[in-house]
Amino acid sequence: MTGGAPNSGGATTDTYAKARTWLLMPAWLVLLVLSLTPVALMLVYSFLTKEFRGGVIWDFSLAAYDQFFFDRGLFGDEPARIEWTYIGIFWRSIWQAGAATVLSLLIGFPTAYFIATRPEKARPIWVFLVTIPYWVNLLIRTVSMKFLLRDQGPLNDFLMFTGLIDSPIHIINTNFAVQLGLFYSYLPFMVLPIYAAVERYNFTLSEAAADLYASKWVTLRRILLPAVKPGVVAGCILVFVPSLGSFLAPDLLGGAKNFMIGSLIEEQFKGNAGNWPFGAAASMILLTLVLIILIMFTRQQAKSNKAGG
Amino acid sequence: MASRSYDIKSYTGFKFITLACLVILYAPLVVVTIYSFNASKSITVWEGLSLRWYVDVFVGPESEKFKLAAMNSFVIAIIAATVSTTIATLAATAVVRGGNFRLRTASLGLISLPLMVPEIVTAVATLIFFNAIGFDRGLMTILMAHIAFCIPFAYLPISARMQGIEDTYEQAAMDLYATKRQAFTRILLPLMMPGIISGFLLAFIVSLDDFIITNFVKGAGVETLPTAIFGAVKQGIKPNIMAISTMLLGLSVIMVTISYFISKSDNTK
Amino acid sequence: MVPEEQSIAIDVRDAVKRYDDFTALKKLSLSIMDNEFFTLLGPSGCGKTTLLRMIAGFENVTEGEIFLFGEEIKNLPPYQRPVNTVFQNYALFPHMTVLDNVAFGLEMRGSSKSEARKGAGEMLELVQLTQFANRKPSQLSGGQQQRVALARALAPRPKVLLLDEPLSALDLKLRKAMQLELKHLQRETGITFIFVTHDQEEALTMSDRIAVMSDGELQQLGAAKDIYERPRNMFVADFIGETNLLEVSVDKIANGRAVCHLGGGHELTCNSVEGIGVGSKVHMSVRPERLFISATPVENESLKGRVKENIFIGTDISTLINLVDGPEFIVRTSNSDRGNKRIFEPGNEVFVNMEMGAARLLID
C-alpha cells in the first residue's frame, strides 16, 4: 500500500471507533462486576474476622495472615514461631506443579517438535489429536485416570497379565499420581506454544549448523532450543500456573497425604474448617504468587521479543 | 547406490514419545468407555458387554438426580455461551476495529483476567462477592459466574478471526453506500461467523465442564452434572458414573470436532 | 488539451494530510475534468493513494477542501459520496456470489433486491462475465476478479470511479489487455476515472491527463505527451521514461534559445526556460530515442565521442557513448530497418546528433 498511512493495511482499524464505548460496555460491566470486584472483595475479606460456621464478621483483623505464617500455641499466648504447616503445603504445591511441568516438558517438547515437522497439511490433525482430551471434562478425565491407576485397575491388571509385575504397583495416592494427573490436565498448554515456536523456526539455521559440523543433538541444544525458548517458557508457565492452584487432581488422585493449596482453600469454604478470612488470605497469597510469575514472564517475553527484533 | 538420507529435522525417539504421549492421553478415556459397557456390578471384574448402566442412568434409582443435574448444566451452558459470545463479539469489534484508544490495553487485560486468575481463586472471590452483596446462591449465581469466565474463551477465536479479515471488505461496502451498521451486519458478521461459532462452542464446553467455580457458587441442593458426578465419585467410582462420563465425553469430542471443522472452513478464501 | 467547456468533476483545493509525525500531502491542489481518464502517478509513498482515499472518504482531510461537481464532500462519509472504488486487492466479498457482489451497491442505494440483481446482470454482461454470476469470487481467476471489481464499482453509476493500482496483481499480458479494456470502458460509460499507479508506462498508455506526484506534492500536471516530452523538473524527467540527465551551465541566451556548456568543450543549444538565466548551473534532459549516431558530423553541434557498449533490448538497440572529456550519453536506435543502418561497434569514434527541440532545461 502506498501513501505510508500508518493505519492502513493491517486488520486493526478504526472503522468502529465511534461505537467502541458501547461495544465494550457489556464486557466491561460483566467483568468489572463479576471478575474484578470479587477479587477486590476477597482482599477485603482476608482482613476480616472469621465467623465460626463460615462467613465473616466485619471487624478488621490480621488473624488470617497471622495464622498462615505464625504459630502462637493452642491458646495464642505463646511467643510467635514460624508456622510451617501452610508454608509446607504451598511448598509442596510448588514442588508438585514444578514436577508436573518438567514431566509435561519432557513429553510435550518432543511431541510438539514431532508435530511441527510433519507435512503442513497433516499438522492440524496432529494438533487436533493432542487437544481433544483437553476438551473432555476435567473431572471425567481425572476420574478416568483414577480408575485406570487403581491397585485393582486396568493398568495393573494389564501389567500383571503380561507378567511384567507380580503384584500390583501402588500408584494412586502418591505424589507421582498427582503429577501424572496434572500432566494429563494441562499437557496441551505445553504442546501448543512450543509447536507454534518450532513451526516458525527457520530450519535453514539447523542446516547451517550441520554444515558447520554440529551434530544433531548439538544443533538441538545450541541452535533450535535458544530459538524456540519463548515458546518453551510460555508452555512451562501455562502448565505451572494452573497446576499450582489445581484442586481435582490432588483431591482425587493424591488422597489426604498429598494436600495442595487448592484443597486447603476449598476446605475453608466447603469443608469443615469454615474459616473464610483464612481461605481468602490463602487465595490472595496464591494469586500474588501467580501474578509475580506472570509479570516476570511478560517482562521476559518482551525482552526476548526486542532481542529477536 | 543411493546415499543414506540425512533428515535434519528428525530426531530418534521423538516419534515414539509422541505416540506414547497419545497413549497416555487416550488410555484413561478409552478404558472408562470400555468399562461403561461392562455388565458387572463391580468395576473390577469384566462380565461381558451390556448397556445396563446406560439404562440405569435414565431409569435407575439415581436417574432423577442426574436428569435434573444434566438439565441445569445444559440450560446454564446454553445461556452462558450465548451471552458471553455476544458480549465477546461486540468487545472484539471494539478492540480490533476501534482504532487505538487509551482503554484498549486495559480492556484486553480485563477480558483475559479470568484466564490469568487461578480457577480456585475465581471460585473463592465469586463466592465472597455473592455473600457480600447478600445474593442467594442457586442457579442464577452459577449462571452469572459462568458468563464471566466464558467471555475470554469466546473472545479468543472471535478476535483471531476478525484480525484475519482485511478491513478493505468493510471499506468496499461503505464505498458502495452501505452504512457502518450495514457494513457490520452484511459483511463483517458473516465473515466472522466461523469464529463466532467456534467461540460459542468453546464457551459451551467450558461452561459444561466447570466444576470448581460451580461447586463454590451453587446453592445447597443445586447440582450440575460435574458437581453431581464429583459427589458420587466421593463414594467410589460406580459403573453408572462411567456411563454418564462416557456420554459427556462423547458430546465434548463431537462438539470439538465440529468446532475444528468450522474453523477450518475459511470463507474468506 | 484543456477543455474549458467541460465541467470540473473533482476539485482538490490546498489539501493537506498529516499523520502524527508524517505529512502525506502538502497543500495539494488539482482539478479533474468530467469525463476524463485522469492518472495519479508517482513512486510509493508519494501520497497518491492517500489522495485517492481522501476523495473516496476513507481518510479525513487535515486541511483544505475537496469538491465533487461543485459540492464540498470532505465531511461526507464514504457511503454518502457518489464515487466508487476499485480496490487494489479487489476486496470482493468472499461470502457472496459474483452477482450479489455487483448488486450490493445498487441494493444499498435503495433498489429492491430484484432490481439490483437485474442491474448487476447488465453490468456483468458489459464485462463479459455473465456465465460466472453464481460463482464465488474465489472460483475466478485474477483477471476475472478484476472485472467483477470493476463491474461492482460501476454498477451504481458513480459520478467518479477511483481505481487504486487495480492492475498491479495481474501478469504483464493480462495487464496490457486490461489497460485497453479500462480505456474503452471509460469511453463507453463516460464516467470520470481517477487511476492510481506507480507504473509510468501504464499511465502514459491510458491517461488523458497525468498528475505526477512525489513527496506529497504535485510535480507536474498535463497530457501524457506533454509530460513525456516537456518534463518540468528533474523528478518528472527522471521518473517518466528513460532520459539522459546532464549537468550543464548556461552560457548565453538569445532569441529564446539558450546555449549550454556540457563540459569538455561540448555545447548544445535548446529552448530557454523562464527562470533559468545566464550562468546558472542546471540539468538538461534529452530522451535517448531523439538522438542519433553518425560516423561524421552532420551539423555544427554534433558531439564527438566513442562507443562504449551496445545493449540489445528487443525493439531497440541502446548505445552508450562517452563524449571526449565529457559526459556519457545513451542513444536509442530502432531495431526496425537494420539493413540501412550502420551498427557502431565499441571503440568506434562517432558523433551524437540531436533532433531539434529534443533537449530540455529543467528547474530542479
Side-chain angles (χ1 to χ4, degrees), chain A residues 105 109 193-194 197-198 200-201 223-237 297 300-301 303-304:
Chain A
L105 182 62
F109 184 87
I194 297 178
V198 176
R200 276 197 307 270
Y201 174 71
I223 310 296
L224 178 75
L225 267 182
V228 300
K229 192 175 145 210
V232 174
V233 176
C236 290
I237 298 282
F297 167 66
Q300 192 262 343
Q301 290 293 84
K303 217 194 287 170
S304 69

Side-chain angles (χ1 to χ4, degrees), chain A residues 70-112:
Chain A
F70 300 109
D71 177 8
R72 296 178 193 274
L74 197 54
F75 304 101
D77 50 2
E78 292 168 34
R81 282 169 297 150
I82 302 282
E83 165 68 77
W84 290 106
T85 316
Y86 307 115
I87 297 173
I89 290 174
F90 264 67
W91 177 243
R92 177 158 62 236
S93 303
I94 291 171
W95 201 88
Q96 289 283 66
T101 306
V102 171
L103 187 63
S104 303
L105 182 62
L106 287 180
I107 295 180
F109 184 87
T111 305

Side-chain angles (χ1 to χ4, degrees), chain C residues 228 240-245 285-293 316-319 329-334 352-353 355 358:
Chain C
Y228 184 78
I240 314 270
E242 193 185 14
T243 197
N244 292 294
L245 274 182
S285 160
V286 192
R287 298 286 180 197
E289 72 275 16
R290 303 197 59 185
L291 295 169
F292 58 94
I293 313 172
D316 294 336
I317 289 173
S318 201
T319 309
F329 268 88
I330 302 171
V331 180
R332 249 184 201 234
T333 314
S334 163
V352 177
N353 311 285
E355 287 173 24

